[in-house]
Every structure is written in structure tokens, then in C-alpha cells.
Amino acid sequence: MDAIQVQGVSKSYGAQRVLTDIDLVVPAGSVFGLLGPNGAGKTTLVRILATLVRPDAGRASVVGHNVVTSAFEVRQKISLTGQFAAVDELQTGRENLVMIGRLRRLGRSTAARRADVLLERFDLAEAGRKLVKTYSGGMRRRLDLAMSLVTEPPVIFLDEPTTGLDPRSRQQMWSFVRELADAGSTIFLTTQYLEEADQLADRIMLIDHGVAVADGTAESLKVRVGGERVEFSFESPSSCELAVADLGEAVVASSPSSLTVATTGSAAEVRELLDRMDKIGATVDKVAIHRPTLDDVFFALTGGSPR
């Protein structure tokens, strides 16, 4: 079953086109990554799927409910964690969670039990009775995510959830996202962090200026920008010159003392290249094999710079 379906969705604000004919499908229980630079339209698409904004054209559904005609039903099935933590600083962490539970019509005792479970799960048990204004940025983000899980929704939207977090807090957030996916939740993740999408997403869509420019697994996107590369470092510039002259168009990049060659990355091919260097008298000092990354995909398909 597909948790999210989007067909031909477009959106403009005045004369500015924000989204153009977006199509995507997110299977239930998967992690979908929406990757793109600032202003690409990621948040607008999330707001449409969360029933906060109406599309100008196209249709979208979440868990089988149309986001325009069945907005109430959609809201019962989702949670949204935005770019900035939406917590009440004048309440304790536990009070925030109980409040959300009561607003979602849980009984008083049920809301309290659920709050305690989530505080423990997100490593906030000791801080649960402290005012949120004393929390660090990472603690606030964890509390914000916990608040969105009070009623265990099947679909969770995370709009750049790790923005501004230090590396340790970011790793913690990644662990929580993996746990949610393993438990069967569908995660729709927007991010500017290439590594984040690579680590978490089962499938990735790259959008730029509101247009989908690529869609697939991380590995399939990397294949689109080329295969592996072998970099040879030479003991002297003269050896490098000999190698460049011998390899010709196979060289994809070079410097006075190193060069890079496209390759399948197989041991046999690398060994053949090294034998070739020996035959022409080009002394190789070091060898390194590089695989394409999502950074390469980002640069190749958008022409922009990742965060």
C-alpha cells in the first residue's frame, strides 16, 4: 500500500512558481527523502501534504485520503515536525507532552502514561520535569519530535529536523528516525544535508526551483553521475606526464603529480592500470578509489552548492 501519492501538483505565490508538476509515490513503512537547496519548494510540498496549503493544480493523497477534500481525515493520520521546534518554553517537557495528548483527546491518565513513555524513549526522562526554556537545542528537537508521536500516527513529516543541531544531536535524531521506520511508520523527510538523505532514505527525490530533477535510490542517483574513479599519485611530475600521455582521454582530471581515471573499481582493472604504469616507467606512489556521492549528484543535477 502507498502511504502518499502525488500527481501533477503545482503551486504558485503570485507570479512566483514554487512547484511544477510534482509526481511521487511513497510506499507505507518507508523513508522518503526530499532533497534540494534553499528555496527549492520542499517546505511548500510538505505544507500541501499536511493540508496547510492548497495546491493550484494536481492531486495528492495521504493514507488514501485526498488532502483537499478530506483534510480532516488526513490530519488524523499524520504528524508534522517543522523546521523550528514548536514547544512551550514555560512548561516542562512532560507538561508539553501531556498537553498534546489532551488536545488529541486522550484521557488524562493515558496522556500522562504516553508522556512518560516518550520521555524515556527520547532520553528526556531526567529533564522531563524541567522547564523547556532550560533545554538545549538538541533536547528541544527531541521533545518536538516526541510531541508529534503522542498518538502514534502512521505518517510522519519531518521538515529539516536536524537543522542547527550539533553532530551528536544529529546522530541521535537519525537513530530515532530509523527506529520509527523500523516500527512501521512512513517517514517523509526534507533535508539539505546530503549525508542525511544518503543515510536515512529508502528513496530520494531531488528538486530544484520547484521541479523534480531526479528520483530514485541513493545508489541509482550516484550511478547517474558516473561510476567509480581511481586516483593515482606519482612520485614525480614527470611520471604523471608519462601517464597522462599514455592514458589520453581516459583521464578525467589531472594535476602536476596526480591523475584520476574512470573505472569500474574492480581489482582486475586497477591491477591492469598499475601494470600499464610500470610498463611506461611512471612510478605510482599512492592509489585511491572514490565512489560518487550525493554531493556529486547534487552538483551535477542542480548546478548549485549543498549546504
Side-chain angles (χ1 to χ4, degrees):
M1 176 182 175
D2 295 325
I4 300 172
Q5 294 183 334
V6 176
Q7 298 174 325
V9 164
S10 298
K11 181 65 180 177
S12 298
Y13 292 107
Q16 182 179 4
R17 192 68 172 255
V18 181
L19 294 172
T20 303
D21 294 329
I22 299 296
D23 295 315
L24 63 87
V25 173
V26 182
S30 66
V31 180
F32 182 88
L34 188 64
L35 179 65
N38 278 330
K42 303 187 299 297
T43 296
T44 298
L45 182 56
V46 168
R47 290 174 64 83
I48 288 173
L49 293 174
T51 75
L52 300 176
V53 173
R54 286 187 171 224
D56 295 333
R59 68 184 302 276
S61 63
V62 178
V63 197
H65 301 293
N66 186 285
V67 298
V68 174
T69 60
S70 301
F72 178 80
E73 289 80 2
V74 171
R75 291 171 193 152
Q76 304 308 303
K77 301 293 185 180
I78 68 171
S79 72
L80 169 61
T81 299
Q83 295 182 23
F84 306 98
V87 294
D88 186 342
E89 294 188 344
L90 299 181
Q91 294 193 94
T92 66
R94 189 175 188 276
E95 288 170 343
N96 270 273
L97 291 168
V98 171
M99 175 185 69
I100 293 298
R102 297 291 287 148
L103 289 173
R104 296 302 294 266
R105 300 188 179 183
L106 296 182
R108 189 178 301 278
S109 59
T110 302
R113 285 196 301 271
R114 185 63 180 156
D116 291 335
V117 168
L118 290 169
L119 288 171
E120 188 69 35
R121 181 178 182 183
F122 286 89
D123 196 23
L124 292 170
E126 292 186 7
R129 298 189 182 277
K130 297 179 181 178
L131 294 179
V132 173
K133 67 180 181 181
T134 66
Y135 284 17
S136 66
M139 293 168 68
R140 292 183 187 212
R141 289 304 282 172
R142 298 205 303 272
L143 177 62
D144 195 30
L145 181 55
M147 289 168 63
S148 70
L149 301 177
V150 168
T151 56
E152 301 182 277
V155 178
I156 301 168
F157 293 99
L158 302 177
D159 191 9
E160 300 190 22
T162 61
T163 297
L165 296 186
D166 60 72
R168 178 176 297 176
S169 296
R170 185 174 298 123
Q171 288 286 343
Q172 286 182 318
M173 189 63 72
W174 290 0
S175 295
F176 296 140
V177 171
R178 292 190 191 99
E179 289 176 12
L180 292 172
D182 290 342
S185 296
T186 302
I187 311 295
F188 190 103
L189 169 76
T190 77
T191 183
Q192 298 179 60
Y193 295 111
L194 307 175
E195 183 186 8
E196 187 161 271
D198 204 356
Q199 288 281 335
L200 298 176
D202 300 308
R203 194 168 186 88
I204 297 169
M205 175 177 281
L206 177 61
I207 66 172
D208 190 31
H209 294 93
V211 177
V213 296
D215 181 11
T217 64
E219 290 305 312
S220 69
L221 294 181
K222 292 171 189 176
V223 169
R224 288 186 58 173
V225 299
E228 298 186 358
R229 303 284 192 265
V230 173
E231 181 180 332
F232 294 110
S233 297
F234 297 90
E235 287 188 348
S236 66
S238 59
S239 287
C240 187
E241 290 173 4
L242 288 171
V244 171
D246 181 71
L247 294 170
E249 293 183 356
V251 177
V252 297
S254 65
S255 69
S257 59
S258 67
L259 62 81
T260 302
V261 181
T263 176
T264 62
S266 68
E269 187 171 2
V270 173
R271 189 180 302 113
E272 181 181 344
L273 286 168
L274 287 170
D275 290 343
R276 187 169 174 175
M277 295 299 98
D278 285 339
K279 289 179 180 178
I280 65 173
T283 305
V284 176
D285 183 35
K286 296 178 181 179
V287 179
I289 298 178
H290 300 285
R291 301 188 65 200
T293 66
L294 281 183
D295 295 64
D296 300 317
V297 175
F298 194 103
F299 284 122
L301 299 181
T302 70
S305 57
R307 181 169 180 170

